[in-house]
Amino acid sequence: MNISLIQFTGLLIFGALYLPVIFLAMQRREEDNAAASWLAAGYSLLAMILTVVEAVWRNGETSKNGAASFQEFQIYLSLTLVFILTLALQFFLRREAWKIWTGVWGIWTFILVLTLVNAFRLPDTLWSDGSLTLERERLAPAWSILGWLTFLVGLIVAVTNGGRESRQPLFRNRLNYWWFILLLVFINDALLFSNFLIPGQPLRLLIAALTAYVIGTHNVPDLKHVLRRAFVYVVMAASIAGLYAGGTLLLQALFKDVHPLLAGGAIALCLPAA
């Protein structure tokens, strides 16, 4: 099978995984968080459309120039995606600041469009000192990344202030899950901005799913308990892996002719008893 066809099919399947998330966001909305739930569904829908567009693009585009253009397209959309998350959080916190953030996004997008069409009549080379050159074509992506950073800082401030002001333990626990959402957003988009393109941007699916779950679920598991259990499992897994590797190396050092598979099997049999 052609590799482009495999990627095309895989990305379409991956895009279809957003459908249950959209359904979750639309079905599990609370009265007080209806707007936030619709925004979570909108985030998933936009991410799904972007995945389908990427599937179509990868099926027919292989040039480096095409890859750079599509990366810029994703950078521009990342600004809108983080804006949608900002609105969802503002409605989740029942704040009126969403009006301000909508205005900021509108102005930022308007300036971005003017930059893309070169309405300011800027030269192709904005600045150069002989070794470093600032090209006009890099101005629009840089403006988008700066806007993305502005919204991300706003999200961090909103989550921090919301946790400080909340007097309801259940709501504070739900709000703490937003830190994982912000971490995933940072990792996903930082990789995108660093020219590390992962097909389908899989972390966006986790962002969409976690956002829909936190907004639509009133009583989520205690985050401290989840982290504690996760830490225990990680320590246990690391300990078992360390004992297995150390025991295998020790047997190979003691018995020069022992086969690595035999040594590993012997250690594996001893681990459950330990």
Side-chain angles (χ1 to χ4, degrees), residues 87-177:
L87 290 189
L89 178 60
Q90 292 298 324
F91 280 107
F92 180 73
L93 294 172
R94 301 176 180 85
R95 301 287 175 78
E96 295 295 326
W98 65 270
K99 301 177 182 177
I100 298 176
W101 285 112
T102 301
V104 171
W105 177 79
I107 295 173
W108 216 283
T109 304
F110 180 68
I111 296 176
L112 175 62
V113 173
L114 294 179
T115 304
L116 288 172
V117 301
N118 196 19
F120 303 108
R121 304 297 180 185
L122 299 174
D124 291 338
T125 301
L126 299 177
W127 175 81
S128 178
D129 65 352
S131 58
L132 296 176
T133 301
L134 178 60
E135 301 289 343
R136 177 177 57 82
E137 63 181 11
R138 302 307 306 161
L139 192 60
W143 180 252
S144 295
I145 294 174
L146 181 60
W148 172 88
L149 183 61
T150 301
F151 280 98
L152 186 64
V153 171
L155 283 167
I156 293 174
V157 172
V159 173
T160 302
N161 291 338
R164 186 184 302 117
E165 296 170 4
S166 176
R167 295 294 179 268
Q168 302 176 10
L170 289 178
F171 183 78
R172 192 183 305 116
N173 182 51
R174 293 169 69 189
L175 190 59
N176 286 335
Y177 276 84

Side-chain angles (χ1 to χ4, degrees), residues 24-251:
L24 171 69
M26 295 176 63
Q27 292 297 317
R28 301 188 62 180
R29 61 183 185 273
E30 303 173 355
E31 271 190 30
D32 294 338
N33 286 325
S37 297
W38 282 112
L39 286 166
Y43 180 96
S44 301
L45 179 61
L46 183 56
M48 182 182 70
I49 293 173
L50 184 57
T51 304
V52 174
V53 170
E54 182 177 357
V56 176
W57 171 80
R58 287 185 179 273
N59 192 44
E61 181 62 60
T62 57
S63 66
K64 292 184 178 179
N65 290 335
S69 299
F70 187 73
Q71 182 191 15
E72 287 189 12
F73 175 69
Q74 292 199 72
I75 290 175
Y76 302 147
L77 277 186
S78 67
L79 176 61
T80 299
L81 287 169
V82 75
F83 162 68
I84 294 175
L85 280 182
T86 301
L87 290 189
L89 178 60
Q90 292 298 324
F91 280 107
F92 180 73
L93 294 172
R94 301 176 180 85
R95 301 287 175 78
E96 295 295 326
W98 65 270
K99 301 177 182 177
I100 298 176
W101 285 112
T102 301
V104 171
W105 177 79
I107 295 173
W108 216 283
T109 304
F110 180 68
I111 296 176
L112 175 62
V113 173
L114 294 179
T115 304
L116 288 172
V117 301
N118 196 19
F120 303 108
R121 304 297 180 185
L122 299 174
D124 291 338
T125 301
L126 299 177
W127 175 81
S128 178
D129 65 352
S131 58
L132 296 176
T133 301
L134 178 60
E135 301 289 343
R136 177 177 57 82
E137 63 181 11
R138 302 307 306 161
L139 192 60
W143 180 252
S144 295
I145 294 174
L146 181 60
W148 172 88
L149 183 61
T150 301
F151 280 98
L152 186 64
V153 171
L155 283 167
I156 293 174
V157 172
V159 173
T160 302
N161 291 338
R164 186 184 302 117
E165 296 170 4
S166 176
R167 295 294 179 268
Q168 302 176 10
L170 289 178
F171 183 78
R172 192 183 305 116
N173 182 51
R174 293 169 69 189
L175 190 59
N176 286 335
Y177 276 84
W178 280 87
W179 289 114
F180 286 96
I181 297 173
L182 299 186
L183 178 62
L184 292 173
V185 169
F186 176 79
I187 294 174
N188 182 86
D189 292 349
L191 291 175
L192 172 63
F193 301 154
S194 303
N195 299 320
F196 194 82
L197 298 178
I198 303 177
Q201 302 293 309
L203 290 182
R204 280 197 182 130
L205 180 59
L206 294 178
I207 295 168
L210 188 56
T211 302
Y213 173 71
V214 172
I215 291 176
T217 305
H218 180 70
N219 189 10
V220 297
D222 183 40
L223 185 58
K224 293 181 180 179
H225 181 65
V226 172
L227 292 176
R228 192 180 301 115
R229 294 190 63 179
F231 177 76
V232 170
Y233 289 144
V234 169
V235 170
M236 289 178 60
S239 300
I240 292 174
L243 288 173
Y244 178 83
T248 302
L249 293 175
L250 179 60
L251 285 180

